[in-house]
Amino acid sequence: QKYWADNQVSCTVTFDPETEGKEIKNALNYFQYQLKGISFLPKLPAGAYPQMPYEAITEEQYEEILSQIEFLDFGSKSDQNPERLNPPDLYCDTGNCEIAK
């Protein structure tokens, strides 16, 4: 990032390992003082790892996932699940989160 920010701005860059992989070193060197957090995700037919941020799915899979999502109506008083409206405080350390009581 070129200008100041008070948080860890990050970016995920997808790249073709065959045509762009060799240029990553040069790009990082060129932009080294403008980057705070960056990840590289290779474009591979089967994906680089399970549950990638960009994962091809069928329309049927999309509809199945969509059917499992609960939509919230923030203008309605009928959705008064206290757990959703007031989530508990979490105290996280080394990958573990303790719920405050």
Side-chain angles (χ1 to χ4, degrees):
Q1 116 188 5
K2 192 170 186 175
Y3 301 103
W4 179 87
D6 63 350
N7 60 351
Q8 180 68 25
V9 178
S10 66
C11 174
T12 299
V13 175
T14 56
F15 68 97
D16 182 321
E18 298 291 321
T19 60
E20 301 168 315
K22 295 176 185 166
E23 298 302 321
I24 292 174
K25 179 180 175 183
N26 295 332
L28 285 173
N29 187 47
Y30 183 81
F31 292 107
Q32 66 179 315
Y33 299 111
Q34 297 177 35
L35 300 172
K36 271 187 148 181
I38 190 164
S39 301
F40 290 95
L41 184 62
K43 293 181 201 170
L44 301 171
Y49 56 87
Q51 297 181 335
M52 292 182 12
Y54 305 109
E55 182 178 347
I57 60 173
T58 65
E59 185 175 351
E60 290 78 21
Q61 289 171 308
Y62 172 80
E63 293 297 335
E64 172 61 27
I65 292 168
L66 188 61
S67 73
Q68 296 174 24
I69 296 175
E70 288 185 46
F71 291 94
L72 296 174
D73 180 3
F74 291 104
S76 169
K77 297 205 183 257
S78 64
D79 189 2
Q80 296 297 320
N81 182 338
E83 195 68 19
R84 276 199 303 234
L85 297 176
N86 299 304
D89 290 326
L90 300 178
Y91 299 96
C92 301
D93 183 28
T94 64
N96 297 314
C97 296
E98 177 184 325
I99 297 176
K101 296 182 183 188

